[in-house]
Amino acid sequence: MTRSAGSGEVDLVTLEILWNRLIAVTNEQAAALMRTSFTPIVRDIGDLSAAVFDTRGQMLAQATTGTPGHINSLASGMRHFLARFPRATLEPGDVLITNDPWMTSGQLNDISIVTPVFHGGKLVGFFGNTCHAIDIGGIGLSANGHEVYEEGLQIPIAKLYTGSGPNETLFEMIAANVRAPREVLGDLHAQVAGNQVGADRLIAYLVEFGLDDLTGIGDEVLRRIALIRRSSSPS
């Protein structure tokens, strides 16, 4: 069977190459994040997730480092990002953020960053990551809180960056509500940098293989995953 990556016809050898290269891109994304992180919990322990998504917000590949709790919540959390900022409203330079525990990883210390990737003026995919922030204010990591408002700063889904630059008000608000602003803001910048490395590698990947976006390869990967699930489920 042959199916091409751009139109749905891609042979098995090409699919294997495209798939493994896409995983390698996410590994570079995660490596850049860890190298530039300010805190040991990310830099040394790897308490993070890093992944690439198609334009519909479906996860196609994830870095081989990271924690299942972060990976799975990031995969499901993408639909909340796209509900708040539909694809048609996104522009080059946008970077999205939230630590809403009902939409990402379940605690305020876990901050998710999502970066839409544009190529030739067209949205071609997303990179996302979730990292455990060293501090988010409030009572810290304690079981003594009676409600979520005691646990620290809550960041609704918002734009951390736009094409015109950083959202300075949001950066200042975060810095004013945490005990270690240098480390927390440093890790936010590392998360943004990791996604940008992924975006740069993805554009090179699309150019190298003559792809318009991730739709074709994504459809094929997801189709095969569905086949594996069906074949392994109890009859």
Side-chain angles (χ1 to χ4, degrees):
M1 159 184 187
T2 61
R3 283 189 183 249
S4 149
S7 66
E9 298 283 327
V10 128
D11 65 83
L12 297 180
V13 173
T14 302
L15 177 63
E16 185 71 13
I17 294 171
L18 290 170
W19 169 240
N20 281 288
R21 286 287 298 278
L22 202 55
I23 294 173
V25 167
T26 63
N27 282 334
E28 289 192 61
Q29 171 199 6
L33 196 169
M34 294 175 72
R35 282 197 305 268
T36 54
S37 172
F38 278 50
T39 57
I41 197 166
V42 176
R43 186 179 63 246
D44 301 326
I45 299 174
D47 195 358
L48 60 91
S49 67
V52 61
F53 302 78
D54 66 15
T55 57
R56 294 161 293 189
Q58 299 179 110
M59 184 182 285
L60 302 182
Q62 64 191 54
T64 54
T65 187
T67 60
H70 283 166
I71 288 288
N72 295 333
S73 60
L74 181 61
S76 61
M78 272 299 301
R79 70 176 183 270
H80 299 297
F81 280 102
L82 291 179
R84 175 65 182 85
F85 291 105
R87 291 174 293 178
T89 68
L90 296 171
E91 299 177 344
D94 285 345
V95 178
L96 312 180
I97 183 174
T98 191
N99 69 338
D100 189 320
W102 302 105
M103 295 183 182
T104 53
S105 189
Q107 63 171 339
L108 296 180
N109 284 76
D110 292 335
I111 299 177
S112 296
I113 301 283
V114 168
T115 303
V117 182
F118 290 83
H119 179 51
K122 172 187 173 184
L123 180 68
V124 295
F126 297 89
F127 279 89
N129 65 66
T130 301
C131 286
H132 183 102
I134 190 172
D135 181 65
I136 201 67
I139 61 173
L141 297 177
S142 168
N144 295 325
H146 298 285
E147 55 185 358
V148 71
Y149 301 103
E150 299 177 51
E151 296 181 10
L153 177 68
Q154 298 184 60
I155 308 168
I157 295 177
K159 290 188 177 182
L160 187 65
Y161 281 85
T162 66
S164 59
N167 183 342
E168 296 289 1
T169 301
L170 183 53
F171 273 109
E172 290 170 6
M173 183 179 297
I174 295 171
N177 282 275
V178 299
R179 299 172 181 85
R182 175 181 175 275
E183 288 78 7
V184 172
L185 295 189
D187 277 0
L188 287 182
H189 289 303
Q191 290 182 257
V192 174
N195 281 359
Q196 187 58 50
V197 167
D200 294 341
R201 299 297 185 271
L202 177 63
I203 291 171
Y205 168 96
L206 295 176
V207 170
E208 178 180 352
F209 292 102
L211 304 177
D212 293 329
D213 55 30
L214 292 173
T215 301
I217 180 64
D219 286 346
E220 187 64 12
V221 167
L222 295 173
R223 185 185 73 82
R224 290 176 181 274
I225 290 172
L227 288 174
I228 292 171
R229 284 175 176 168
R230 284 199 295 270
S231 65
S232 61
S233 63
S235 54

